[in-house]
Amino acid sequence: MTEYVFLDLRVTRVARLSPTMLRVTLGGDRVDDFASGGRDQRFKLFLPHPGQDAPVVPVDAGEDWFGAWRALSPANRAVMRTYTARDQRPGELDVDFALHGESGPASRWALAAQAGDPVTVLAPTSRDNSAIDFRPPPETKRVLLAGDETALPAIGGILAALPAGTAADVWIEVPRADDRQDLASAADVTLTWAVRGEGATLAESVRAADVTVPGYAWIAGESGAVKALRRHLVQTLGVDRRAVKFTGYWRRGASEEDLLAEVVAGGTPHLEE
Ligand SMILES: Cc1cc2nc3c(=O)[nH]c(=O)nc-3n(C[C@H](O)[C@H](O)[C@H](O)COP(=O)(O)OP(=O)(O)OC[C@H]3O[C@@H](n4cnc5c(N)ncnc54)[C@H](O)[C@@H]3O)c2cc1C
């Protein structure tokens, strides 16, 4: 069996979680074939272009789904974006969209999403899959999590998975005070919200804190902010660089196509050292 398969799904429900966060719940005959391993489970989302009835993805692509998708005409092939499986129940998969207006096809699509709309996802076929990055070493007693609103779904998934007895120091930057969410966890969580509309930023908020050095740190969000924060953790706080998992989830001024073009040209995705 291949590690990832295309699944054609449909929107079953849309719910506004906060002013800038929209939950799109997906269903369909095969939705339970999506084997989410939880935490920061990422996946590729494929959206139709305006005027298309459904996303165009390769048929029977197998392991080389990316090559097969790239071989299709850019004007016709589905728009591909990366999202997080926020939660999964029998028959349902939740995806939370940080809305940033009409400037990107995914944000634009989410703003207009209605029950019945078709989407395709590239789904993991095993819960233990390579699209989960949050992997603290066993016996880790304290983790640090930091991210902006695009990482809020992943942080929510990670906190839901953390066991009791783990300490989690968490910083999340959101656009507005009412974008804050309740995040359930069995862990011992200390959560700080940085509200951008009130002048706060993620990096400044962590810098201003009296941070206890964690055994493992996970950072995601806008690339520039992620890099700055990682530097602070490693160079100023002395966190072992091997214990910091950091991912640029988006980059200001660049679409996901732009970032992908860099990868294809031999650069590194989302972040450059
Ligand atoms: C592993 C991973 C998991 C992710 N999970 C999620 C998730 O669960 N929920 C989520 O909302 N996002 C998530 N993202 C981020 C999301 O993929 C990007 O924000 C993506 O660029 C959105 O696509 P778009 O079509 O809306 O915009 P694009 O067409 O890619 O970009 C258009 C313009 O909008 C800007 N832009 C992109 N995102 C934002 C933003 N959030 N705020 C302001 N400007 C922006 C770009 O810099 C560009 O100038 C994830 C990314 C990765 C790599």
Side-chain angles (χ1 to χ4, degrees):
M1 177 140 72
T2 53
E3 193 180 8
Y4 300 99
V5 289
F6 285 110
L7 301 178
D8 294 329
L9 303 179
R10 290 204 175 262
V11 174
T12 54
R13 218 170 37 245
V14 176
R16 201 48 100 109
L17 299 184
S18 76
T20 69
M21 188 67 89
L22 187 83
R23 174 159 297 167
V24 177
T25 300
L26 303 177
D29 293 346
R30 296 188 59 200
V31 69
D32 294 337
D33 291 352
F34 191 112
S36 175
R39 294 163 280 166
D40 57 344
Q41 175 74 66
R42 67 186 135 83
F43 68 96
K44 297 294 182 195
L45 174 72
F46 295 85
L47 302 170
H49 290 278
Q52 288 180 328
D53 291 337
V56 175
V57 297
V59 181
D60 296 333
E63 294 293 352
D64 188 24
W65 63 267
F66 182 62
W69 173 81
R70 276 193 75 224
L72 301 173
S73 136
N76 194 39
R77 72 184 178 213
V79 175
M80 180 173 76
R81 291 291 181 269
T82 310
Y83 278 84
T84 304
R86 172 63 181 89
D87 203 0
Q88 190 178 23
R89 297 166 299 282
E92 294 188 325
L93 178 69
D94 291 335
V95 187
D96 290 356
F97 288 78
L99 300 171
H100 60 99
E102 301 277 337
S103 70
S107 179
R108 200 162 50 235
W109 176 87
L111 276 165
Q114 293 184 347
D117 286 355
V119 293
T120 298
V121 301
L122 187 74
T125 56
S126 154
R127 294 194 191 285
D128 184 15
N129 63 74
S130 60
I132 298 168
D133 289 326
F134 181 81
R135 295 180 187 273
E139 311 306 326
T140 302
K141 289 283 171 242
R142 178 175 290 273
V143 298
L144 182 152
L145 309 174
D148 65 16
E149 65 270 32
T150 64
L152 176 49
I155 292 175
I158 290 169
L159 288 178
L162 279 181
T166 308
D169 297 316
V170 185
W171 282 264
I172 306 175
E173 180 183 313
V174 286
R176 304 167 42 148
D178 41 5
D179 285 316
R180 291 173 295 188
Q181 295 181 14
D182 289 331
L183 300 172
S185 182
D188 179 12
V189 180
T190 306
L191 173 54
T192 305
W193 295 96
V195 178
R196 206 153 56 232
E198 296 172 356
T201 68
L202 188 64
E204 283 163 16
S205 174
V206 176
R207 269 192 216 111
D210 186 10
V211 178
T212 306
V213 171
Y216 181 81
W218 180 100
I219 316 168
E222 199 283 324
S223 289
V226 168
K227 274 194 284 187
L229 198 47
R230 183 217 182 213
R231 208 174 303 126
H232 176 67
L233 292 184
V234 173
Q235 293 179 6
T236 311
L237 299 179
V239 180
D240 182 345
R241 63 176 56 240
R242 289 163 304 185
V244 183
K245 176 66 201 170
F246 63 110
T247 313
Y249 271 16
W250 61 286
R251 193 200 297 158
R252 197 167 301 289
S255 71
E256 195 160 329
E257 276 88 22
D258 297 332
L259 300 172
L260 205 55
E262 287 179 15
V263 179
V264 171
T268 47
H270 302 119
L271 282 176
E272 61 288 321
E273 279 295 284

